[in-house]
Amino acid sequence: MSDSHDHGHEHVPSRQRRRFPGISSRAYEHPADRSALVALRKLSGFDTVFKALSGLLPERSLRLLFLSDSVRVSDRQFAHLNVMLRDACYILDLEKVPAMYVKQDPAPNAMCIGLDEPIIVVTTGLVELLDEEEMRAVVGHEVGHALSGHAVYRTILLFLTSLAVRVAWIPLGNVAIMAIVTALREWFRKSELSADRAGLLVGQDLQASMRGLMKIAGGNHLHEMNVDAFLEQAEEYEASGDLRDSVLKILNVLPRSHPFTAVRAAELKKWAASREYQRTMDGHYPRRDEDKDTSVRDSFRESASHYATHVRSSKDPLMKLVNDIAGGAGDLGDRMRRGFGGFAGSQPRPPKDGDGPAEGPGGSQGPEGPGSDGDDGDDGDNGSGGPRSPRDGSPRDGA
C-alpha cells in the first residue's frame, strides 16, 4: 500500500455512508463473543500460554512471508480494495489503516492476524467471487476484527492448531493444547458474529451482506439462489429434528473456525432489525473513551440475559428441554423421556395385564397414559467483560 497505510486517511474519497466517530467495538460485539472470551481467559493454563506465546510467535516472519509471497494492496495494486479499506477504517474511525494483502488461493477466505499490528489478508477466490458491495462488507468485517482486538487470539489459535498436529504423536502431548484450541475455536466462532455486524455498519447494505454470505456457501450462482430461501434454511436448521440432531449440530460445529453460513446470515438479519442497530445508525452508540468505565458485572449481566432469551426463544429441541428444566417443569423423568423420544422413534409400549391399575370408569390413567408421554406439545417457548484484548486476527476468517 506504498507506505501510506501508516499515515492515517489521506486522499480518502468522499462518502455517502454514515460514519461513527469514536465508536467502541462494544457497539457491535455479540454478547456471546464477550462471554466466550471471558470463559477462554478463565481456562486453566490459558494465561500462561498466552503470555509465553505473545513473546515467542514469529510475527516478523509472518509479515515477511506475506510481503514476499502475496500482493500488497495500495494505490497501485488492487486500488479498489485500497479504497474500500480506507473507507472502512474511516467509517469505524480506526486511526491506523492495517496493511492488506491479496493471496493466491482459490478458496474464498479472509483473515485478520498479527500481534503488535493487525494484517488483513484476502484470497483471490474471495476477490473473484464477490461484487463491490459484498466485498465492502467483508473488508468492514475484517476491520471490525481489528477494532475489537481479535487478531492476537486468532494468531495464537493458528499457531496452537499447527503445534497440536506436530506433537500429536507424543502420548498426551497435545491434550492440554487441544483443550485451549477448542476453547479458542468456540470464542472465534462467536467473534465472527461480531465482525459480521461491523461489516454491516461499514457497508450499510443488508442485502449485500446477505448475498456475500450466500455466495460463500453456494458460489457465484446468484441466478440460482434466493436470499429468503437461504434464510429459511437457517430457520429449518434451528427447529428441525430431535435431541439427536441437537447433539449432531454441536459435533458438526466443534472443528470449525466459523459458524455455519446460513446461521450467520440469520443472526445478522436479526440484529439489523433490532433497536440496538437502529440506535447505532442514529449515532447513539458506546464510545471508546468510555471503555475504561465499562462495568464487568454489567457485561456479564448482558451476556446472561442474551443466553436466557436465546434458550427461551430457541426452537432447537435441546434448548427447549433446557428451558423446561430451568423453568421447573414437573416430572424431570417424564420430560427426558419425551425429549429423547426421537432416538427410539417407537410408540409407547401398551400396558400388559398387571402392569398397573386398569382405567376405571372415571377415565383416569396412569403416568404412562396419553396425558403424559403421548403429549407432543411444546411446554417451553416458554459474562463477559475482562480486559480488552489486543488488536485483531483470524486466518480462515471466511469473510
Side-chain angles (χ1 to χ4, degrees):
M1 200 187 286
S2 310
D3 288 325
S4 60
H5 66 274
D6 286 330
H7 302 301
H9 302 286
E10 299 117 337
H11 311 301
V12 173
S14 60
R15 292 169 176 77
Q16 297 179 351
R17 292 173 179 80
R18 189 177 301 277
R19 187 180 177 232
F20 306 98
I23 190 171
S24 167
S25 60
R26 290 182 292 121
Y28 58 81
E29 281 176 348
H30 195 284
D33 175 8
R34 294 198 291 270
S35 295
L37 193 55
V38 168
L40 173 67
R41 288 170 176 151
K42 289 187 175 181
L43 183 68
S44 176
F46 175 76
D47 206 36
T48 302
V49 170
F50 176 78
K51 289 177 181 176
L53 291 182
S54 293
L56 294 176
L57 286 176
E59 182 170 14
R60 293 179 67 88
S61 173
L62 191 66
R63 292 179 181 278
L64 288 172
L65 176 64
F66 287 117
L67 191 62
S68 63
D69 202 35
S70 302
V71 176
R72 186 166 65 185
V73 171
S74 69
D75 292 333
R76 295 181 295 164
Q77 300 187 118
F78 291 100
H80 72 293
L81 293 181
N82 190 45
V83 172
M84 289 183 197
L85 176 63
R86 291 182 171 280
D87 201 37
C89 292
Y90 180 79
I91 289 172
L92 294 181
D93 199 15
L94 186 65
E95 291 185 9
K96 192 167 186 179
V97 181
M100 184 176 183
Y101 294 89
V102 176
K103 176 179 174 58
Q104 169 59 32
D105 186 341
N109 195 23
M111 59 185 176
C112 184
I113 55 174
L115 297 180
D116 296 326
E117 297 179 10
I119 302 172
I120 295 174
V121 182
V122 297
T123 65
T124 52
L126 189 67
V127 174
E128 293 162 6
L129 176 65
L130 304 182
D131 67 24
E132 181 176 349
E133 292 307 307
E134 295 158 4
M135 193 68 198
R136 187 183 301 277
V138 168
V139 173
H141 173 113
E142 300 308 325
V143 171
H145 274 309
L147 183 58
S148 290
H150 291 158
V152 171
Y153 294 112
R154 179 55 171 164
T155 305
I156 290 175
L157 172 58
L158 290 176
F159 179 80
L160 288 178
T161 302
S162 173
L163 182 62
V165 173
R166 295 176 194 171
V167 302
W169 61 275
I170 303 175
L172 301 180
N174 69 336
V175 173
I177 294 175
M178 285 310 300
I180 295 177
V181 166
T182 300
L184 275 165
R185 280 179 178 156
E186 170 61 16
W187 159 74
F188 190 73
R189 286 190 293 269
K190 301 301 188 283
S191 75
E192 286 298 288
L193 302 178
S194 298
D196 284 343
R197 294 176 174 188
L200 180 59
L201 290 178
V202 168
Q204 299 174 24
D205 184 343
L206 179 61
Q207 287 301 309
S209 294
M210 296 288 104
R211 289 198 312 270
L213 289 168
M214 190 169 63
K215 281 184 175 181
I216 290 171
N220 193 13
H221 305 282
L222 274 181
H223 62 290
E224 297 284 355
M225 296 186 287
N226 179 280
V227 170
D228 291 335
F230 186 60
L231 291 171
E232 287 169 9
Q233 290 180 217
E235 186 175 345
E236 182 180 343
Y237 172 81
E238 169 74 9
S240 65
D242 50 35
L243 285 183
R244 173 178 51 192
D245 293 311
S246 298
V247 173
L248 290 175
K249 290 175 188 176
I250 295 171
L251 294 177
N252 284 340
V253 80
L254 279 178
R256 294 174 57 92
S257 63
H258 289 64
F260 294 116
T261 318
V263 175
R264 288 171 63 185
E267 282 281 341
L268 185 59
K269 185 179 181 184
K270 189 187 306 179
W271 187 65
S274 70
R275 184 170 179 269
E276 178 186 0
Y277 173 73
Q278 191 55 57
R279 282 182 55 80
T280 300
M281 293 301 294
D282 290 341
H284 305 293
Y285 51 81
R287 260 66 174 183
R288 258 169 264 167
D289 56 12
E290 301 167 351
D291 283 349
K292 62 183 182 300
D293 302 320
T294 303
S295 165
V296 173
R297 183 175 300 175
D298 288 344
S299 296
F300 270 118
R301 243 195 317 264
E302 182 183 351
S303 298
S305 174
H306 162 77
Y307 277 115
T309 302
H310 173 70
V311 169
R312 283 196 303 269
S313 62
S314 177
K315 298 177 182 178
D316 183 89
L318 180 59
M319 292 298 100
K320 286 185 178 181
L321 180 62
V322 169
N323 189 52
D324 280 357
I325 294 171
D331 176 21
L332 179 57
D334 173 53
R335 300 285 171 170
M336 292 294 286
R337 284 196 300 275
R338 267 182 35 195
F340 281 93
F343 280 102
S346 59
Q347 296 298 320
R349 178 179 62 85
K352 296 179 182 178
D353 292 340
D355 271 3
E359 182 177 347
S364 63
Q365 299 187 3
E368 294 294 326
S372 56
D373 279 5
D375 178 10
D376 289 330
D378 294 333
D379 287 318
D381 197 10
N382 237 27
S384 148
R388 303 295 297 169
S389 55
R391 285 311 185 221
D392 168 32
S394 55
R396 305 311 294 177
D397 190 16

